[in-house]
Amino acid sequence: MHRDIKGTEKMIRAATYAQRRAQRGVSLVETVIMLPILLLVGLGAMQTALIYEAKSSLNYATFMAARAGALDHANPQ
């Protein structure tokens, strides 16, 4: 009976080792798949923020030009 338990433990260890060996390199493949997607999302968010900032600056410049024109009665000099 004691011999069967040791044999079973060895079989379990061998199966666990085989599973670990079969999983070798999986994290690298997952990284290679996910990294471009994460970069695309991150850089897309940055680009959206830059476009929003440029639009905001343009709106502010337009507002200030209209204000300056209104204060000087639309005199170009």
Side-chain angles (χ1 to χ4, degrees):
M1 183 100 178
H2 184 65
R3 179 182 244 176
D4 290 337
I5 292 173
K6 281 190 173 187
T8 305
E9 287 176 358
K10 283 183 181 180
M11 287 174 46
I12 291 172
R13 269 192 243 124
T16 305
Y17 177 75
Q19 281 180 333
R20 273 194 239 135
R21 184 136 174 91
Q23 294 290 320
R24 188 176 271 180
V26 171
S27 61
L28 180 63
V29 172
E30 290 173 352
T31 302
V32 167
I33 291 171
M34 288 305 295
L35 192 61
I37 295 169
L38 291 175
L39 282 173
L40 183 69
V41 169
L43 293 176
M46 284 180 57
Q47 189 67 35
T48 302
L50 289 172
I51 290 170
Y52 177 77
E53 191 269 334
K55 185 180 181 322
S56 178
S57 295
L58 181 62
N59 286 342
Y60 182 72
T62 304
F63 172 74
M64 292 308 289
R67 183 173 183 262
L71 292 177
D72 289 334
H73 304 291
N75 187 1
Q77 280 79 11

